[in-house]
Amino acid sequence: MGKPGILVKGGAAGLTALALTLAFPAASAGDTRPKSAPVSRPLYVTQAPIVMLKDLDSGAILFSRGADKRFAPASMAKVMTAYVVLDLIKKGELARDKQFTVSEATWKKWNGSTGGSTMFLRPNEKVSVDELLKGLITVSGNDAAAVLAVGIDGSENAFAKRMNVVAAKIGMASSRFGTPSGWPDGGVTKVSAADLITLADRLIRDHPEGYSRYFSLPKLQHGKSPEGKPIIQPNRNPILGRFEGADGLKTGHTAEAGYCFLGSAKRNGRRLIMVVAGMSSEKARRDEAERLMKWGFEEWEGRELVPAGASLGRIDVRKGALPAVATQAGIAVRMTVPKGYEGSYRAVMRTRAPIAAPLIRGTPVADLVVTPDGLPPQTTPLIAATDVAEGGVWARARTGFYRLTGL
């Protein structure tokens, strides 16, 4: 790997860019092609009105149609609920083994005879956050969503407000939530495919253990039938167990948006995230999802540029115990190109610097922007390699000296 280039500043709000020489492919002496020669993108034809496919590691958007159109997500809203709950667990504000009691009012509203999808909770039953998350994702339990919301914030409305705060924080600019379950709410809850992709991206990156624990369970066993037999329900993910590498996320269906699916699969180190919406039936949704994923894996390839854990330059930290923090590739960074691609690429690290302390290890602090010749830029987040505590007077003086001298 070559040495980093010169730190340059440009753009608004302190945007900085660090040019990197990351083992660039060398052009042959006799190669007279222009550096940005047009690239033939693989063809994908679909009748779906809303489709988006992203390569998680490179950030490349492989296909997009109607990605910014807002629509009712139905049960795909439960992915936002899961993200909020997993975030609270990660922060130590909620324990997996914490038990919530199913109130009579919640049971009456969301039992199986009146409240759609259910994990068959009983009135006054005590159930753990862990089990509720399993019911929320595996069988799309509206009762699970309501019990989590009431247990955490006292009401579904209060929890929905929390959802909106978190959604804005992670960059879901065009989405709004009025319910933790996605149940029709008079048009309040609306998302876009682009925002759902952002949500899935952040959930998988920010909560990999939670994603692995809750989103690929083949079935849920909870409760008993009137005959006393265990109630076992299969996972509603239409490609789980059918498509190699499929391991999440959630389906949804509304009269307005049709049959929808936010899905993900991983093969040979590559993870793809997809949204399809507006399909006419469960079969059409499943077939489109499988076809889109197959196209993404077979017609495109990911080439590793930076191994996971690699250090990629330092960023100034304001008011910190340390003057700067090293950036790190949290996952292997790849660029996604059509099969057989022979072009080169450019790589730039971008951030808004300096960032302020305190800073927690693993926090996204920069982006690695890779631009293959003839293709749009592809962006992968970089993370802080270490914690940086808030500094005192002497630490700030040392930081000032570092800014002046670089020592």
Side-chain angles (χ1 to χ4, degrees), residues 8 67 93 134 154 377:
V8 294
E93 298 176 17
K134 292 175 182 177

Side-chain angles (χ1 to χ4, degrees), residues 335-358:
M335 73 173 180
T336 306
V337 293
K339 283 284 178 68
Y341 176 82
E342 296 180 354
S344 186
Y345 66 91
R346 300 179 307 281
V348 174
M349 185 176 75
R350 291 181 179 163
T351 185
R352 296 186 180 275
I355 359 184

Side-chain angles (χ1 to χ4, degrees), residues 44-63:
Y44 185 76
V45 179
T46 178
Q47 299 299 314
I50 298 175
V51 186
M52 193 171 185
L53 180 66
K54 178 180 180 178
D55 190 306
L56 177 68
D57 295 344
S58 68
I61 303 300
L62 308 184
F63 190 86

Side-chain angles (χ1 to χ4, degrees), residues 382-398:
L382 302 178
I383 61 175
T386 59
D387 294 338
V388 179
E390 193 168 0
V393 175
W394 288 111
R396 295 180 188 182
R398 187 174 64 248

Side-chain angles (χ1 to χ4, degrees), residues 107-118 140-143 181 183:
W107 177 80
K108 285 182 177 178
K109 183 177 181 182
W110 296 113
N111 71 76
S113 63
T114 59
S117 304
T118 177
S140 197
N142 293 326
D143 50 356
S181 65
W183 189 261

Side-chain angles (χ1 to χ4, degrees), residues 90-153:
K90 183 177 182 179
K91 293 175 181 177
E93 298 176 17
L94 183 67
R96 291 184 193 277
D97 60 0
K98 171 74 174 177
Q99 291 197 330
F100 294 137
T101 300
V102 182
S103 70
E104 190 78 24
T106 297
W107 177 80
K108 285 182 177 178
K109 183 177 181 182
W110 296 113
N111 71 76
S113 63
T114 59
S117 304
T118 177
M119 65 179 288
F120 293 102
L121 297 174
R122 304 183 309 276
N124 300 314
E125 177 182 0
K126 293 184 182 298
V127 58
S128 69
V129 169
D130 186 63
E131 190 71 4
L132 289 167
L133 280 169
K134 292 175 182 177
L136 178 80
I137 299 303
T138 308
V139 299
S140 197
N142 293 326
D143 50 356
V147 172
L148 283 166
V150 173
I152 291 169
D153 281 323

Side-chain angles (χ1 to χ4, degrees), residues 9-328:
K9 293 189 177 183
L15 182 68
T16 57
L18 175 61
L20 303 171
T21 55
L22 301 172
F24 289 89
S28 66
D31 192 348
T32 59
R33 294 174 302 170
K35 291 185 178 179
S36 295
V39 173
S40 177
R41 294 174 63 93
L43 179 65
Y44 185 76
V45 179
T46 178
Q47 299 299 314
I50 298 175
V51 186
M52 193 171 185
L53 180 66
K54 178 180 180 178
D55 190 306
L56 177 68
D57 295 344
S58 68
I61 303 300
L62 308 184
F63 190 86
S64 180
R65 171 188 288 174
D68 295 323
K69 181 180 179 181
R70 300 179 75 239
F71 63 95
S75 286
M76 291 187 294
K78 294 184 176 79
V79 180
M80 186 72 234
T81 297
Y83 183 94
V84 170
V85 175
L86 291 173
D87 226 29
L88 291 171
I89 293 172
K90 183 177 182 179
K91 293 175 181 177
E93 298 176 17
L94 183 67
R96 291 184 193 277
D97 60 0
K98 171 74 174 177
Q99 291 197 330
F100 294 137
T101 300
V102 182
S103 70
E104 190 78 24
T106 297
W107 177 80
K108 285 182 177 178
K109 183 177 181 182
W110 296 113
N111 71 76
S113 63
T114 59
S117 304
T118 177
M119 65 179 288
F120 293 102
L121 297 174
R122 304 183 309 276
N124 300 314
E125 177 182 0
K126 293 184 182 298
V127 58
S128 69
V129 169
D130 186 63
E131 190 71 4
L132 289 167
L133 280 169
K134 292 175 182 177
L136 178 80
I137 299 303
T138 308
V139 299
S140 197
N142 293 326
D143 50 356
V147 172
L148 283 166
V150 173
I152 291 169
D153 281 323
S155 72
E156 293 180 61
N157 287 338
F159 186 85
K161 291 179 181 178
R162 184 191 291 269
M163 293 170 72
N164 289 320
V165 170
V166 175
K169 183 178 179 181
I170 66 175
M172 298 177 67
S174 62
S175 295
R176 180 163 181 79
F177 297 93
T179 167
S181 65
W183 189 261
D185 57 5
V188 175
T189 300
K190 290 287 182 74
V191 301
S192 67
D195 276 4
L196 287 174
I197 291 287
T198 295
L199 172 60
D201 186 323
R202 287 297 300 267
L203 189 146
I204 292 168
R205 289 185 192 279
D206 297 348
H207 306 291
E209 293 180 0
Y211 181 74
S212 176
R213 183 180 182 87
Y214 297 112
F215 282 83
S216 55
L217 294 172
K219 61 186 178 181
L220 175 75
Q221 179 178 326
H222 186 90
K224 292 184 178 181
S225 69
E227 294 78 26
K229 296 181 179 180
I231 299 174
I232 301 174
Q233 299 184 76
N235 193 309
R236 299 192 177 199
N237 185 322
I239 64 173
L240 190 67
R242 290 178 53 96
F243 185 87
E244 180 188 350
D247 57 8
L249 299 157
K250 275 297 286 100
T251 56
H253 173 247
T254 66
E256 174 191 354
Y259 290 86
C260 311
F261 179 50
L262 169 64
S264 185
K266 187 173 185 177
R267 287 184 179 180
N268 301 319
R270 285 182 68 206
R271 179 174 290 283
L272 302 184
I273 305 171
M274 55 145 287
V275 171
V276 293
M279 306 308 295
S280 59
S281 67
E282 291 185 5
K283 182 180 184 303
R285 173 177 62 190
R286 183 194 67 218
D287 292 348
E288 185 70 27
E290 289 189 33
R291 195 167 66 89
L292 181 63
M293 280 292 192
K294 182 179 179 182
W295 175 82
F297 281 113
E298 294 185 357
E299 299 296 327
W300 298 81
E301 61 179 297
R303 298 182 183 176
E304 184 172 312
L305 306 180
V306 181
S311 181
L312 287 168
R314 299 171 67 81
I315 298 173
D316 290 351
V317 177
R318 185 167 52 88
K319 298 182 179 180
L322 298 174
V325 65
T327 62
Q328 187 179 66

